[in-house]
Amino acid sequence: MATLVWQAPMTYLSAGDEAAFFTWLQSIPGVVAVRGVGRELHVSLKSRRISQASLRELIALYSRFGGRLSELAQFENTSNTTWFRSPAAIWYAGVFAEVPDSSVEEASSGRAHRPGDVARLED
């Protein structure tokens, strides 16, 4: 089982917007439970292996309602990596920016750097 955690605050523009969020979320195949835990919303999924359609729905839902796209990286597998990890995909930076991959390099300082890291000058 996989669990996604939405952090508060979640912003809805109306009661209908909130209803649309929960209706959409609960309609995604593989989602088995949605419950509030403190200021978090825990979304339980049947498995980490979800269909392409379900993963695309989660990407769309997270994008529309401001979820942390990086949580979705856990669903990458050999059958979806080609399209899911494509640098041309609009979600790529949000999903994979924080996930180490083969582009991580060791700098002379011994600290790992990824593309996009900000260099700091030392005094």
Side-chain angles (χ1 to χ4, degrees):
M1 187 172 300
T3 301
L4 299 171
V5 179
W6 284 69
Q7 302 290 324
M10 293 186 63
T11 303
Y12 305 106
L13 302 178
S14 69
D17 195 34
E18 182 176 6
F21 169 81
F22 284 101
T23 299
W24 186 4
L25 178 59
Q26 293 172 330
S27 76
I28 298 172
V31 172
V32 295
V34 178
R35 64 186 178 93
V37 177
R39 294 184 48 84
E40 298 175 339
L41 183 65
H42 290 217
V43 180
S44 300
L45 290 103
K46 188 173 13 178
S47 168
R48 284 183 194 243
R49 286 195 65 84
I50 60 175
S51 70
Q52 178 175 334
S54 292
L55 182 52
R56 288 185 181 273
E57 288 299 318
L58 286 170
I59 292 167
L61 186 79
Y62 268 61
S63 297
R64 164 64 183 86
F65 287 97
R68 285 190 331 242
L69 283 166
S70 60
E71 278 195 280
L72 302 180
Q74 66 182 301
F75 298 112
E76 180 183 19
N77 60 51
T78 56
S79 66
N80 68 23
T81 194
T82 302
W83 67 266
F84 189 37
R85 193 179 269 275
S86 170
I90 194 166
W91 59 80
Y92 178 82
V95 175
F96 296 107
E98 299 174 13
V99 177
D101 63 15
S102 59
S103 67
V104 175
E105 298 174 6
E106 286 295 317
S108 59
S109 66
R111 180 178 170 267
H113 290 274
R114 290 186 298 229
D117 277 355
V118 176
R120 290 185 171 75
L121 297 174
E122 295 188 26
D123 294 321

